Amino acid sequence: MLIDTHAHYDDSRFDNDRDELLQSLKSKGIAYVVNASSNVSSNAMSISLSRKFDFIFASVGIHPHDSSDFNDEVLDMLRSLSSNEKVVAIGEIGLDYYYDNVPREIQKSCFAKQIRLARQLDLPIIIHDRDAHEDTLKIIRDEHASEVGGVMHAYSGSVEMARELLKLNFYFGIGGVCTFKNAKKVVEVIKYLPMERIVLETDCPYLTPEPFRGRRNDSGYLVYIAEKIAQIKNMDVEEVAHITSQNAIRLFNLPV
Ligand SMILES: [Zn+2]
């Protein structure tokens, strides 16, 4: 049993075969999927997928790329969506200084306001941090995000930053990048992290693991990530599957 803690099945790349693909996931050993939202329309789509499929859960939030659309009305929408029992987190939220699509001050304020919402609702957060490690850590601290905790999705920071984030009650989402040939940094992080803080994710349709890099990703490829972690940690893949699933259940308060 594996749990995909970060997927985007609302993406248009699944339009032709979404239902068929989702229906096939249980037979591929996938127990649960958390569909991460990024903008107003994907929030609605995540909720409707979670209603249609018992094993799909939703996170609601506005991605840094879409933070220019964030306002009080959107905040109220997120609050009302999160009353749905299948909503397990606020995300994905955070900062993206790699693409820098939106002025940084706007990204920061959108991130901070959604952390406040998560604290009001007592929901964990799913963080997107690309090339913004310092400001991400600062906002996590300033907004007391450790009260709710959450996961650093597609973690790309250093071992030193991971040490700080462990103290702040965070989990680490490990995906396809750890299978790539140039993945030295994330491999070091995986070696360092306690197994109790690692969760698996695909970020599908993106970041397909080797040996399938370049294809469209889906939760069926999660096992390749578990195998890579097993290899790095010198463990059985079954053990990696079991521990990471228990972690995801604890993090998102999923049914046992
Ligand atoms: Zn994502």
Side-chain angles (χ1 to χ4, degrees):
M1 175 181 103
L2 296 165
I3 297 179
D4 188 352
T5 61
H6 196 109
H8 297 284
Y9 284 113
D10 50 282
D11 193 280
S12 61
R13 274 189 270 175
F14 295 111
D15 283 354
N16 289 328
D17 62 347
R18 182 175 293 107
D19 284 14
E20 218 182 309
L21 173 66
L22 291 173
Q23 266 147 17
S24 76
L25 290 181
K26 275 191 179 169
S27 69
K28 295 171 183 165
I30 303 302
Y32 300 127
V33 171
V34 177
N35 203 71
S37 304
S38 44
N39 55 38
V40 171
S41 66
S42 76
N43 275 291
M45 183 86 171
S46 289
I47 299 286
S48 80
L49 284 172
S50 76
R51 286 200 175 122
K52 193 163 177 187
F53 296 93
D54 60 347
F55 68 96
I56 296 190
F57 292 79
S59 79
V60 298
I62 302 296
H63 190 286
H65 289 335
D66 294 290
S67 50
S68 53
D69 299 333
F70 188 82
N71 53 39
D72 288 347
E73 207 179 309
V74 172
L75 187 66
D76 287 342
M77 176 204 75
L78 295 176
R79 188 178 284 114
S80 91
L81 287 178
S82 61
S83 66
N84 187 300
E85 61 172 355
K86 298 291 286 292
V87 172
V88 294
I90 298 296
E92 58 182 285
I93 61 175
L95 304 172
D96 194 313
Y97 293 174
Y98 177 79
Y99 287 108
D100 251 339
N101 286 348
V102 175
R104 292 180 180 184
E105 287 313 310
I106 295 176
Q107 292 191 42
K108 287 190 212 173
S109 122
C110 176
F111 183 26
K113 284 180 181 163
Q114 292 182 96
I115 294 176
R116 280 170 226 162
L117 176 68
R119 287 180 53 211
Q120 286 163 16
L121 300 167
D122 196 24
L123 285 173
I125 57 180
I126 298 175
I127 295 187
H128 172 107
D129 158 25
R130 190 144 184 215
D131 290 357
H133 304 322
E134 211 174 302
D135 283 355
T136 298
L137 205 49
K138 182 176 173 359
I139 292 174
I140 286 173
R141 287 204 171 102
D142 291 352
E143 297 298 332
H144 308 284
S146 63
E147 272 180 25
V148 287
V151 56
M152 298 300 293
H153 144 63
Y155 183 68
S156 61
S158 62
V159 166
E160 291 70 33
M161 184 176 174
R163 184 177 297 128
E164 295 309 304
L165 288 161
L166 284 170
K167 287 184 215 157
L168 291 164
N169 201 16
F170 276 83
Y171 288 75
F172 296 79
I174 302 295
V177 174
C178 74
T179 68
F180 298 171
K181 281 192 183 70
N182 57 354
K184 228 181 130 200
K185 194 176 180 185
V186 67
V187 168
E188 286 309 309
V189 168
I190 293 167
K191 278 184 191 160
Y192 168 74
L193 287 175
M195 270 315 291
E196 288 62 38
R197 294 294 189 89
I198 293 176
V199 293
L200 305 181
E201 60 171 52
T202 56
D203 202 20
C204 65
Y206 314 104
L207 299 175
T208 314
E210 293 287 5
F212 303 104
R213 197 175 175 181
R215 285 197 209 173
R216 183 188 72 176
N217 200 2
D218 69 64
S219 309
Y221 292 109
L222 206 58
V223 65
Y224 296 95
I225 298 158
E227 280 173 359
K228 182 70 187 186
I229 294 172
Q231 190 194 321
I232 295 168
K233 291 287 208 185
N234 200 14
M235 294 169 69
D236 293 337
V237 67
E238 291 77 16
E239 208 180 341
V240 171
H242 178 74
I243 298 173
T244 57
S245 295
Q246 293 305 309
N247 296 344
I249 288 168
R250 191 166 63 242
L251 167 63
F252 294 121
N253 201 15
L254 298 170
V256 190

